[in-house]
Amino acid sequence: MTALSALGMFGVRAAAAHAELDDTSPRAGAVLEAAPTEIVLDFGDEVEQRLAHVELLDAQGVQVVVDAPLRTPDRSQVVVPVHDPNSLGAGVYVVRYRVTSL
């Protein structure tokens, strides 16, 4: 899981421009009664929501369909709807993401 800094118009921003992941929903290691309808990633800094890339993988590494990230007023958050949560069976799932800091 990687957070990439944004490239400015006149060069590369400082290394401190990396957005750190602060929280997630569902949380890592959570055991859920039902599949989530969305994945929420909260960062310590604003990120470019339209450039966010989020993947949901099952235990075999097969990609599960998720929708494009939503544009939300909180620009430090990435919200990705799960395309068909009812199709998710029991098991372990992994979220991979890539975001660009503002």
Side-chain angles (χ1 to χ4, degrees):
M1 297 182 197
T2 308
L4 301 174
S5 63
L7 294 178
M9 293 290 286
F10 303 103
V12 179
R13 290 185 176 190
H18 291 277
E20 296 289 328
L21 184 63
D22 285 344
D23 198 11
T24 65
S25 177
R27 290 215 163 131
V31 177
L32 307 173
E33 293 294 320
T37 57
E38 64 185 15
I39 298 164
V40 180
L41 306 173
D42 287 306
F43 295 91
D45 295 304
E46 290 185 349
V47 296
E48 185 60 67
Q49 293 170 328
R50 65 184 174 82
L51 298 179
H53 179 77
V54 178
E55 293 179 336
L56 179 61
L57 307 169
D58 68 14
Q60 290 73 42
V62 176
Q63 195 167 346
V64 177
V65 177
V66 294
D67 293 331
L70 302 174
R71 296 189 82 183
T72 65
D74 182 352
R75 295 186 57 149
S76 65
Q77 188 175 71
V78 175
V79 178
V80 179
V82 176
H83 184 70
D84 183 11
N86 295 326
S87 70
L88 300 180
V92 175
Y93 291 84
V94 174
V95 173
R96 284 196 306 205
Y97 66 89
R98 184 177 63 242
V99 297
T100 302
S101 299
L102 290 178

Coordinates of all heavy atoms in Angstrom, one line a residue:
M1 N 0.8 -1.2 0.0 CA 0.0 0.0 0.0 C 0.9 1.2 0.0 O 1.8 1.4 0.8 CB -0.9 0.0 1.2 CG -1.8 -1.2 1.2 SD -2.9 -1.1 2.7 CE -3.4 -2.8 2.7
T2 N 0.6 2.1 -0.9 CA 1.5 3.2 -1.1 C 0.8 4.5 -1.3 O -0.3 4.6 -1.9 CB 2.3 3.0 -2.4 OG1 2.9 1.7 -2.3 CG2 3.4 4.1 -2.6
A3 N 1.3 5.6 -0.7 CA 0.7 6.9 -0.9 C 1.8 7.7 -1.6 O 2.9 7.8 -1.2 CB 0.4 7.6 0.5
L4 N 1.4 8.2 -2.8 CA 2.4 8.9 -3.6 C 2.2 10.4 -3.5 O 1.1 10.9 -3.4 CB 2.2 8.5 -5.1 CG 2.3 7.1 -5.4 CD1 1.9 6.8 -6.9 CD2 3.7 6.6 -5.2
S5 N 3.3 11.1 -3.5 CA 3.2 12.6 -3.4 C 2.8 13.1 -4.8 O 3.1 12.5 -5.8 CB 4.4 13.2 -2.9 OG 5.5 13.0 -3.8
A6 N 2.2 14.3 -4.9 CA 1.8 14.9 -6.1 C 3.0 15.6 -6.8 O 3.9 16.1 -6.1 CB 0.7 15.9 -5.9
L7 N 3.0 15.6 -8.1 CA 4.0 16.4 -8.8 C 3.5 17.7 -9.0 O 2.4 17.9 -9.6 CB 4.4 15.7 -10.1 CG 5.0 14.3 -10.0 CD1 5.3 13.8 -11.4 CD2 6.3 14.4 -9.3
G8 N 4.2 18.7 -8.6 CA 3.7 20.1 -8.8 C 4.0 20.6 -10.2 O 4.7 19.9 -11.0
M9 N 3.5 21.7 -10.5 CA 3.8 22.3 -11.9 C 5.2 22.6 -12.1 O 5.7 22.6 -13.2 CB 3.0 23.6 -12.0 CG 1.4 23.4 -12.0 SD 0.9 22.6 -13.5 CE 1.1 23.9 -14.7
F10 N 6.0 22.9 -11.0 CA 7.3 23.3 -11.1 C 8.3 22.4 -10.5 O 9.4 22.7 -10.1 CB 7.5 24.7 -10.5 CG 6.6 25.7 -11.1 CD1 5.5 26.1 -10.5 CD2 6.8 26.2 -12.4 CE1 4.6 27.0 -11.1 CE2 6.0 27.1 -13.0 CZ 4.8 27.5 -12.4
G11 N 7.9 21.1 -10.3 CA 8.9 20.2 -9.7 C 8.2 19.2 -8.7 O 7.0 19.2 -8.6
V12 N 9.0 18.5 -8.0 CA 8.5 17.5 -7.1 C 8.3 18.2 -5.7 O 9.2 18.9 -5.2 CB 9.4 16.3 -7.0 CG1 8.9 15.3 -6.0 CG2 9.6 15.7 -8.4
R13 N 7.2 17.9 -5.0 CA 7.0 18.4 -3.6 C 7.9 17.6 -2.7 O 8.5 16.6 -3.0 CB 5.6 18.1 -3.2 CG 4.6 19.0 -3.9 CD 3.2 18.8 -3.3 NE 2.3 19.7 -3.9 CZ 1.1 19.9 -3.5 NH1 0.6 19.3 -2.5 NH2 0.3 20.8 -4.1
A14 N 8.1 18.2 -1.5 CA 8.9 17.6 -0.5 C 8.4 16.2 -0.1 O 7.2 16.0 -0.2 CB 9.0 18.5 0.7
A15 N 9.3 15.4 0.4 CA 8.9 14.0 0.8 C 7.8 14.0 1.9 O 7.1 13.1 2.0 CB 10.1 13.3 1.3
A16 N 7.7 15.1 2.7 CA 6.7 15.2 3.7 C 5.3 15.3 3.1 O 4.4 15.3 3.9 CB 7.0 16.4 4.6
A17 N 5.2 15.4 1.8 CA 3.9 15.6 1.2 C 3.1 14.2 1.1 O 2.0 14.2 0.6 CB 4.0 16.2 -0.2
H18 N 3.7 13.1 1.6 CA 3.0 11.8 1.5 C 1.8 11.8 2.4 O 2.0 12.2 3.6 CB 4.0 10.7 1.9 CG 5.0 10.5 0.8 ND1 4.8 9.7 -0.3 CD2 6.3 10.9 0.7 CE1 5.9 9.7 -1.0 NE2 6.8 10.4 -0.4
A19 N 0.7 11.4 2.0 CA -0.5 11.3 2.8 C -0.4 10.0 3.6 O -0.3 8.9 3.0 CB -1.8 11.3 1.9
E20 N -0.5 10.1 4.9 CA -0.5 8.9 5.8 C -1.9 8.4 6.0 O -2.8 9.2 6.3 CB 0.1 9.2 7.1 CG 1.6 9.7 7.0 CD 2.5 8.5 6.7 OE1 2.2 7.4 7.1 OE2 3.5 8.7 6.0
L21 N -2.2 7.1 5.9 CA -3.5 6.5 6.2 C -3.7 6.6 7.7 O -2.9 6.0 8.5 CB -3.5 5.1 5.6 CG -4.9 4.4 5.8 CD1 -5.9 5.1 4.9 CD2 -4.7 3.0 5.3
D22 N -4.8 7.3 8.1 CA -5.1 7.4 9.5 C -6.1 6.3 10.0 O -6.0 5.9 11.1 CB -5.7 8.8 9.8 CG -4.6 9.9 9.8 OD1 -3.4 9.6 9.9 OD2 -5.0 11.0 9.8
D23 N -7.1 6.0 9.2 CA -8.1 5.1 9.6 C -8.8 4.5 8.4 O -8.7 5.1 7.3 CB -9.2 5.9 10.4 CG -10.1 5.0 11.3 OD1 -9.8 3.8 11.4 OD2 -11.1 5.5 11.8
T24 N -9.5 3.4 8.6 CA -10.2 2.8 7.5 C -11.6 2.2 8.0 O -11.7 2.0 9.2 CB -9.5 1.6 6.9 OG1 -9.3 0.6 7.9 CG2 -8.1 2.0 6.4
S25 N -12.5 2.1 7.1 CA -13.8 1.4 7.4 C -14.1 0.5 6.3 O -14.2 1.0 5.1 CB -14.9 2.4 7.7 OG -16.1 1.8 7.9
P26 N -14.2 -0.8 6.5 CA -14.0 -1.5 7.7 C -12.5 -1.4 8.1 O -11.7 -1.2 7.3 CB -14.5 -2.9 7.5 CG -14.7 -3.0 6.0 CD -14.6 -1.6 5.4
R27 N -12.3 -1.6 9.4 CA -10.9 -1.6 10.0 C -10.2 -2.9 9.6 O -10.8 -3.9 9.4 CB -11.0 -1.4 11.5 CG -11.4 0.0 11.9 CD -10.7 0.4 13.1 NE -10.9 1.9 13.2 CZ -11.2 2.4 14.3 NH1 -11.5 1.7 15.4 NH2 -11.3 3.8 14.4
A28 N -8.9 -2.7 9.5 CA -8.0 -3.9 9.3 C -8.3 -5.0 10.4 O -8.4 -4.7 11.5 CB -6.6 -3.5 9.3
G29 N -8.5 -6.2 9.9 CA -8.7 -7.3 10.8 C -10.1 -7.4 11.3 O -10.5 -8.3 12.1
A30 N -11.0 -6.6 10.9 CA -12.4 -6.6 11.3 C -13.1 -7.9 10.9 O -12.8 -8.4 9.8 CB -13.2 -5.4 10.8
V31 N -14.0 -8.4 11.7 CA -14.8 -9.5 11.3 C -16.2 -9.0 11.2 O -16.8 -8.5 12.2 CB -14.8 -10.7 12.4 CG1 -15.7 -11.8 12.0 CG2 -13.3 -11.2 12.5
L32 N -16.8 -9.1 10.0 CA -18.1 -8.4 9.8 C -19.2 -9.5 9.6 O -19.0 -10.6 9.1 CB -18.0 -7.6 8.5 CG -16.9 -6.6 8.4 CD1 -16.9 -6.0 7.0 CD2 -17.1 -5.5 9.5
E33 N -20.4 -9.1 10.0 CA -21.6 -10.0 9.9 C -22.1 -10.0 8.4 O -22.6 -11.0 7.9 CB -22.7 -9.6 10.8 CG -22.4 -9.7 12.3 CD -22.3 -11.2 12.6 OE1 -23.1 -12.0 12.2 OE2 -21.4 -11.5 13.4
A34 N -21.9 -8.9 7.7 CA -22.3 -8.7 6.4 C -21.2 -7.9 5.6 O -20.4 -7.2 6.2 CB -23.6 -8.0 6.3
A35 N -21.2 -8.1 4.3 CA -20.3 -7.4 3.5 C -20.5 -5.9 3.5 O -21.6 -5.4 3.6 CB -20.4 -7.9 2.0
P36 N -19.4 -5.1 3.5 CA -19.6 -3.6 3.6 C -20.1 -3.1 2.2 O -19.8 -3.7 1.2 CB -18.2 -3.1 3.8 CG -17.3 -4.2 3.3 CD -18.0 -5.5 3.5
T37 N -20.8 -2.0 2.2 CA -21.3 -1.4 1.0 C -20.3 -0.5 0.4 O -20.4 -0.1 -0.7 CB -22.7 -0.7 1.3 OG1 -22.5 0.3 2.3 CG2 -23.7 -1.7 1.7
E38 N -19.4 -0.1 1.3 CA -18.3 0.9 0.8 C -17.1 0.7 1.6 O -17.1 0.1 2.7 CB -18.8 2.3 0.9 CG -19.1 2.8 2.3 CD -19.7 4.2 2.4 OE1 -20.1 4.7 1.3 OE2 -19.6 4.8 3.5
I39 N -16.0 1.2 1.0 CA -14.7 1.2 1.7 C -14.3 2.6 1.9 O -14.4 3.4 1.0 CB -13.6 0.5 0.8 CG1 -14.0 -1.0 0.6 CG2 -12.2 0.6 1.4 CD1 -13.2 -1.6 -0.6
V40 N -13.9 3.0 3.1 CA -13.6 4.4 3.4 C -12.2 4.4 3.9 O -11.8 3.7 4.8 CB -14.5 5.0 4.5 CG1 -14.2 6.4 4.8 CG2 -16.0 4.9 4.1
L41 N -11.3 5.3 3.3 CA -9.9 5.5 3.7 C -9.8 6.9 4.1 O -10.1 7.8 3.4 CB -9.0 5.2 2.5 CG -9.2 3.8 1.8 CD1 -8.3 3.8 0.6 CD2 -8.8 2.7 2.8
D42 N -9.3 7.1 5.4 CA -9.1 8.4 5.9 C -7.6 8.7 6.0 O -6.9 7.9 6.6 CB -9.8 8.6 7.3 CG -11.3 8.6 7.3 OD1 -11.8 9.5 6.5 OD2 -11.9 7.8 7.9
F43 N -7.2 9.8 5.4 CA -5.8 10.2 5.4 C -5.6 11.5 6.3 O -6.5 12.2 6.5 CB -5.4 10.5 3.9 CG -5.4 9.3 3.1 CD1 -6.5 8.9 2.4 CD2 -4.3 8.4 3.0 CE1 -6.6 7.8 1.6 CE2 -4.4 7.3 2.2 CZ -5.5 7.0 1.5
G44 N -4.3 11.7 6.7 CA -4.0 12.8 7.5 C -3.9 14.1 6.7 O -3.9 15.2 7.3
D45 N -3.8 14.0 5.4 CA -3.8 15.2 4.5 C -4.8 15.0 3.4 O -5.3 13.9 3.1 CB -2.4 15.3 3.9 CG -1.3 15.5 4.9 OD1 -1.4 16.5 5.7 OD2 -0.3 14.7 5.0
E46 N -5.0 16.1 2.7 CA -5.9 16.1 1.5 C -5.3 15.2 0.4 O -4.1 15.3 0.2 CB -6.3 17.5 1.0 CG -7.1 18.2 2.0 CD -7.6 19.6 1.4 OE1 -7.0 20.0 0.4 OE2 -8.5 20.2 2.0
V47 N -6.1 14.5 -0.3 CA -5.7 13.7 -1.5 C -6.5 14.1 -2.7 O -7.6 14.6 -2.5 CB -5.8 12.2 -1.2 CG1 -4.8 11.8 0.0 CG2 -7.2 11.8 -0.9
E48 N -6.0 13.8 -3.8 CA -6.8 14.0 -5.1 C -7.7 12.9 -5.3 O -7.3 11.8 -5.8 CB -5.8 14.2 -6.2 CG -6.5 14.5 -7.5 CD -7.2 15.9 -7.5 OE1 -6.5 16.9 -7.3 OE2 -8.4 15.8 -7.6
Q49 N -9.0 13.0 -4.9 CA -10.0 12.0 -4.9 C -10.1 11.3 -6.3 O -10.3 10.1 -6.4 CB -11.3 12.5 -4.4 CG -11.3 12.8 -2.9 CD -12.5 13.5 -2.5 OE1 -13.1 14.3 -3.2 NE2 -12.9 13.3 -1.2
R50 N -10.1 12.2 -7.3 CA -10.4 11.6 -8.7 C -9.3 10.8 -9.2 O -9.4 10.0 -10.1 CB -10.8 12.8 -9.6 CG -9.6 13.7 -9.9 CD -10.1 14.9 -10.8 NE -9.0 15.9 -10.9 CZ -8.0 15.8 -11.7 NH1 -7.9 14.7 -12.6 NH2 -7.1 16.7 -11.8
L51 N -8.1 10.9 -8.6 CA -6.9 10.1 -9.0 C -6.7 8.9 -8.1 O -5.8 8.1 -8.4 CB -5.7 10.9 -9.0 CG -5.6 12.1 -10.0 CD1 -4.3 12.9 -9.8 CD2 -5.9 11.6 -11.4
A52 N -7.5 8.7 -7.1 CA -7.4 7.6 -6.2 C -7.6 6.3 -6.9 O -8.5 6.2 -7.7 CB -8.3 7.7 -5.0
H53 N -6.9 5.3 -6.5 CA -7.0 3.9 -7.1 C -7.2 3.0 -6.0 O -6.3 2.8 -5.2 CB -5.9 3.6 -8.0 CG -6.0 2.2 -8.6 ND1 -6.8 2.0 -9.7 CD2 -5.4 1.1 -8.3 CE1 -6.7 0.7 -10.0 NE2 -5.9 0.1 -9.2
V54 N -8.3 2.3 -5.9 CA -8.6 1.3 -4.8 C -9.0 0.0 -5.4 O -9.8 0.0 -6.3 CB -9.7 1.9 -3.9 CG1 -10.0 0.8 -2.8 CG2 -9.3 3.2 -3.3
E55 N -8.4 -1.1 -4.9 CA -8.7 -2.4 -5.4 C -9.1 -3.2 -4.2 O -8.6 -3.1 -3.1 CB -7.5 -3.1 -6.0 CG -7.0 -2.5 -7.3 CD -5.8 -3.2 -7.8 OE1 -5.0 -3.8 -7.0 OE2 -5.6 -3.1 -9.0
L56 N -10.1 -4.1 -4.3 CA -10.5 -5.1 -3.3 C -10.2 -6.5 -3.9 O -10.6 -6.8 -5.0 CB -12.0 -4.9 -3.0 CG -12.6 -5.9 -2.0 CD1 -11.9 -5.7 -0.7 CD2 -14.1 -5.7 -1.9
L57 N -9.4 -7.2 -3.1 CA -9.0 -8.6 -3.6 C -9.5 -9.6 -2.6 O -9.5 -9.4 -1.4 CB -7.5 -8.6 -3.7 CG -6.8 -7.5 -4.5 CD1 -5.3 -7.6 -4.3 CD2 -7.1 -7.7 -5.9
D58 N -9.9 -10.8 -3.1 CA -10.3 -11.9 -2.2 C -9.0 -12.6 -1.8 O -7.9 -12.3 -2.2 CB -11.3 -12.8 -2.9 CG -10.8 -13.6 -4.1 OD1 -9.6 -13.7 -4.3 OD2 -11.7 -14.1 -4.8
A59 N -9.2 -13.7 -1.0 CA -8.1 -14.4 -0.5 C -7.2 -15.1 -1.6 O -6.0 -15.3 -1.3 CB -8.6 -15.5 0.5
Q60 N -7.7 -15.3 -2.7 CA -6.9 -15.9 -3.8 C -6.3 -14.8 -4.7 O -5.6 -15.1 -5.7 CB -7.8 -16.8 -4.7 CG -8.2 -18.1 -4.1 CD -9.3 -17.9 -3.0 OE1 -10.2 -17.1 -3.2 NE2 -9.1 -18.6 -1.9
G61 N -6.5 -13.5 -4.3 CA -5.9 -12.4 -5.1 C -6.7 -12.0 -6.3 O -6.3 -11.2 -7.1
V62 N -8.0 -12.5 -6.4 CA -8.8 -12.1 -7.5 C -9.5 -10.8 -7.2 O -10.0 -10.6 -6.1 CB -9.9 -13.2 -7.7 CG1 -10.9 -12.8 -8.8 CG2 -9.2 -14.5 -8.1
Q63 N -9.5 -9.9 -8.1 CA -10.0 -8.6 -7.9 C -11.6 -8.6 -7.9 O -12.2 -9.2 -8.7 CB -9.6 -7.6 -9.0 CG -9.8 -6.2 -8.7 CD -9.0 -5.3 -9.7 OE1 -8.1 -5.7 -10.4 NE2 -9.4 -4.0 -9.7
V64 N -12.1 -8.0 -6.9 CA -13.6 -7.8 -6.7 C -14.0 -6.5 -7.3 O -13.2 -5.5 -7.1 CB -14.0 -7.9 -5.2 CG1 -15.5 -7.7 -5.0 CG2 -13.6 -9.3 -4.6
V65 N -15.1 -6.4 -8.0 CA -15.5 -5.1 -8.6 C -15.9 -4.1 -7.6 O -16.7 -4.4 -6.7 CB -16.6 -5.3 -9.6 CG1 -17.1 -4.0 -10.2 CG2 -16.2 -6.3 -10.7
V66 N -15.2 -2.9 -7.6 CA -15.6 -1.8 -6.8 C -15.9 -0.6 -7.8 O -15.4 -0.6 -8.9 CB -14.6 -1.4 -5.7 CG1 -14.4 -2.5 -4.7 CG2 -13.2 -1.0 -6.4
D67 N -16.7 0.3 -7.4 CA -17.0 1.5 -8.2 C -15.9 2.5 -8.1 O -15.0 2.4 -7.2 CB -18.4 2.1 -7.8 CG -19.5 1.1 -8.1 OD1 -19.4 0.3 -9.1 OD2 -20.6 1.2 -7.4
A68 N -16.0 3.5 -8.9 CA -15.0 4.6 -8.8 C -15.2 5.4 -7.5 O -16.3 5.5 -7.0 CB -15.2 5.6 -10.0
P69 N -14.1 5.9 -7.0 CA -14.2 6.7 -5.8 C -15.2 7.9 -5.9 O -15.3 8.5 -7.0 CB -12.8 7.3 -5.6 CG -11.9 6.3 -6.3 CD -12.7 5.9 -7.5
L70 N -15.9 8.2 -4.9 CA -16.9 9.3 -4.8 C -16.1 10.6 -4.5 O -15.1 10.5 -3.8 CB -17.9 9.0 -3.8 CG -18.7 7.7 -3.9 CD1 -19.7 7.5 -2.7 CD2 -19.5 7.7 -5.2
R71 N -16.7 11.6 -5.0 CA -16.1 13.0 -4.6 C -16.9 13.4 -3.4 O -18.1 13.4 -3.4 CB -16.3 14.0 -5.7 CG -15.5 13.6 -7.0 CD -15.5 14.6 -8.0 NE -14.4 15.6 -7.6 CZ -14.2 16.7 -8.2 NH1 -14.8 17.0 -9.3 NH2 -13.2 17.5 -7.8
T72 N -16.2 13.6 -2.3 CA -16.8 14.0 -1.0 C -16.3 15.4 -0.6 O -15.2 15.7 -1.0 CB -16.5 13.0 0.1 OG1 -15.1 13.0 0.4 CG2 -17.0 11.6 -0.3
P73 N -17.0 16.1 0.3 CA -16.5 17.4 0.7 C -15.2 17.2 1.5 O -14.4 18.2 1.6 CB -17.6 17.9 1.6 CG -18.8 17.1 1.3 CD -18.3 15.8 0.7
D74 N -15.0 16.1 2.2 CA -13.8 15.9 3.0 C -12.7 15.3 2.1 O -12.7 14.2 1.8 CB -14.1 14.9 4.1 CG -12.9 14.7 5.0 OD1 -11.8 15.2 4.7 OD2 -13.0 14.0 6.1
R75 N -11.8 16.2 1.6 CA -10.8 15.8 0.7 C -9.7 15.0 1.2 O -8.8 14.6 0.5 CB -10.3 17.1 0.0 CG -11.4 17.7 -0.9 CD -11.0 18.8 -1.7 NE -9.9 18.4 -2.6 CZ -9.6 18.9 -3.7 NH1 -10.4 19.8 -4.2 NH2 -8.6 18.5 -4.4
S76 N -9.7 14.7 2.5 CA -8.7 13.8 3.1 C -9.3 12.4 3.2 O -8.7 11.5 3.8 CB -8.3 14.3 4.5 OG -9.4 14.2 5.4
Q77 N -10.4 12.2 2.6 CA -11.1 10.9 2.6 C -11.4 10.4 1.2 O -11.7 11.1 0.3 CB -12.5 11.1 3.3 CG -13.2 9.8 3.7 CD -14.4 10.1 4.5 OE1 -15.4 10.7 3.9 NE2 -14.4 9.8 5.7
V78 N -11.2 9.0 1.1 CA -11.6 8.4 -0.2 C -12.7 7.3 0.1 O -12.5 6.5 1.0 CB -10.4 7.7 -0.8 CG1 -10.8 6.9 -2.1 CG2 -9.3 8.7 -1.2
V79 N -13.8 7.5 -0.5 CA -14.9 6.6 -0.3 C -15.2 5.8 -1.6 O -15.4 6.4 -2.7 CB -16.2 7.3 0.1 CG1 -17.4 6.4 0.2 CG2 -16.0 8.1 1.4
V80 N -15.2 4.5 -1.6 CA -15.3 3.6 -2.7 C -16.5 2.7 -2.5 O -16.4 1.8 -1.6 CB -14.0 2.9 -3.1 CG1 -14.2 2.0 -4.3 CG2 -12.9 3.8 -3.2
P81 N -17.6 2.8 -3.2 CA -18.7 1.9 -3.1 C -18.3 0.5 -3.6 O -17.6 0.3 -4.6 CB -19.8 2.4 -4.0 CG -19.4 3.9 -4.2 CD -17.9 3.9 -4.1
V82 N -18.7 -0.6 -2.9 CA -18.5 -1.9 -3.3 C -19.6 -2.2 -4.3 O -20.8 -2.0 -4.0 CB -18.5 -2.9 -2.2 CG1 -18.5 -4.4 -2.7 CG2 -17.4 -2.6 -1.2
H83 N -19.3 -2.6 -5.5 CA -20.2 -2.7 -6.6 C -21.4 -3.6 -6.3 O -22.6 -3.3 -6.5 CB -19.5 -3.2 -7.9 CG -20.4 -3.3 -9.1 ND1 -20.9 -2.1 -9.7 CD2 -21.0 -4.3 -9.8 CE1 -21.7 -2.5 -10.7 NE2 -21.7 -3.8 -10.8
D84 N -21.2 -4.8 -5.8 CA -22.2 -5.8 -5.5 C -21.9 -6.5 -4.2 O -21.4 -7.6 -4.2 CB -22.4 -6.8 -6.6 CG -23.6 -7.7 -6.3 OD1 -24.4 -7.5 -5.4 OD2 -23.7 -8.7 -7.1
P85 N -22.1 -5.8 -3.0 CA -21.7 -6.4 -1.7 C -22.3 -7.8 -1.5 O -21.7 -8.6 -0.8 CB -22.1 -5.4 -0.7 CG -23.0 -4.4 -1.4 CD -22.8 -4.6 -2.8
N86 N -23.5 -8.0 -2.0 CA -24.2 -9.3 -1.8 C -23.5 -10.5 -2.5 O -23.7 -11.6 -2.1 CB -25.6 -9.3 -2.3 CG -26.5 -8.3 -1.5 OD1 -26.2 -8.1 -0.3 ND2 -27.4 -7.6 -2.1
S87 N -22.6 -10.2 -3.4 CA -21.8 -11.2 -4.1 C -20.6 -11.7 -3.3 O -20.0 -12.7 -3.7 CB -21.4 -10.8 -5.5 OG -20.4 -9.8 -5.4
L88 N -20.2 -10.9 -2.3 CA -19.1 -11.3 -1.5 C -19.4 -12.4 -0.5 O -20.3 -12.3 0.3 CB -18.5 -10.1 -0.7 CG -18.1 -8.8 -1.5 CD1 -17.7 -7.7 -0.6 CD2 -17.1 -9.2 -2.5
G89 N -18.6 -13.5 -0.6 CA -18.8 -14.6 0.3 C -17.9 -14.4 1.5 O -17.1 -13.4 1.6
A90 N -18.1 -15.3 2.5 CA -17.2 -15.2 3.7 C -15.8 -15.4 3.3 O -15.5 -16.1 2.3 CB -17.7 -16.3 4.6
G91 N -14.9 -14.8 4.0 CA -13.5 -15.0 3.7 C -12.7 -13.7 4.0 O -13.2 -12.7 4.6
V92 N -11.4 -13.8 3.7 CA -10.5 -12.7 3.9 C -10.4 -11.8 2.7 O -10.3 -12.4 1.6 CB -9.1 -13.2 4.3 CG1 -8.1 -12.1 4.4 CG2 -9.2 -14.0 5.6
Y93 N -10.5 -10.5 2.8 CA -10.3 -9.6 1.7 C -9.3 -8.6 2.0 O -9.0 -8.2 3.2 CB -11.7 -8.9 1.5 CG -12.7 -9.8 0.9 CD1 -13.5 -10.6 1.8 CD2 -12.9 -9.9 -0.4 CE1 -14.4 -11.5 1.3 CE2 -13.9 -10.8 -0.9 CZ -14.6 -11.6 -0.1 OH -15.6 -12.4 -0.6
V94 N -8.6 -8.1 1.0 CA -7.5 -7.2 1.1 C -7.8 -5.9 0.3 O -8.3 -6.1 -0.9 CB -6.2 -7.8 0.6 CG1 -5.0 -6.7 0.6 CG2 -5.8 -9.0 1.5
V95 N -7.6 -4.8 0.8 CA -7.7 -3.5 0.1 C -6.4 -3.0 -0.3 O -5.5 -2.9 0.6 CB -8.5 -2.5 0.9 CG1 -8.5 -1.1 0.3 CG2 -9.9 -2.9 1.2
R96 N -6.1 -2.7 -1.5 CA -4.9 -2.0 -2.0 C -5.3 -0.7 -2.5 O -6.4 -0.5 -3.1 CB -4.2 -2.8 -3.1 CG -3.5 -4.0 -2.6 CD -2.5 -4.5 -3.7 NE -3.2 -4.8 -5.0 CZ -2.7 -5.7 -5.8 NH1 -1.6 -6.4 -5.6 NH2 -3.3 -5.8 -7.0
Y97 N -4.5 0.3 -2.3 CA -4.8 1.7 -2.7 C -3.6 2.5 -3.1 O -2.4 2.1 -2.7 CB -5.5 2.5 -1.6 CG -4.7 2.7 -0.4 CD1 -3.9 3.9 -0.3 CD2 -4.6 1.8 0.6 CE1 -3.0 4.1 0.7 CE2 -3.8 2.1 1.7 CZ -3.0 3.2 1.8 OH -2.2 3.4 2.9
R98 N -3.8 3.5 -3.9 CA -2.8 4.4 -4.3 C -3.5 5.8 -4.4 O -4.5 5.9 -5.0 CB -2.2 4.1 -5.7 CG -1.0 5.0 -6.1 CD -0.4 4.5 -7.4 NE -1.4 4.6 -8.5 CZ -1.8 3.6 -9.2 NH1 -1.3 2.4 -9.0 NH2 -2.7 3.7 -10.2
V99 N -2.9 6.8 -3.7 CA -3.5 8.1 -3.7 C -2.4 9.1 -4.0 O -1.2 8.8 -3.8 CB -4.2 8.5 -2.4 CG1 -5.4 7.6 -2.1 CG2 -3.2 8.4 -1.2
T100 N -2.8 10.3 -4.4 CA -1.9 11.4 -4.7 C -2.2 12.5 -3.7 O -3.4 12.9 -3.7 CB -2.0 11.9 -6.1 OG1 -1.7 10.8 -7.0 CG2 -1.0 13.0 -6.4
S101 N -1.3 13.0 -3.0 CA -1.5 14.2 -2.1 C -1.7 15.4 -2.8 O -1.2 15.6 -4.0 CB -0.3 14.3 -1.1 OG 0.0 13.2 -0.4
L102 N -2.4 16.4 -2.2 CA -2.6 17.7 -2.8 C -1.4 18.6 -2.4 O -0.9 18.4 -1.4 CB -3.9 18.3 -2.4 CG -5.1 17.7 -3.1 CD1 -6.4 18.3 -2.6 CD2 -5.1 17.7 -4.6

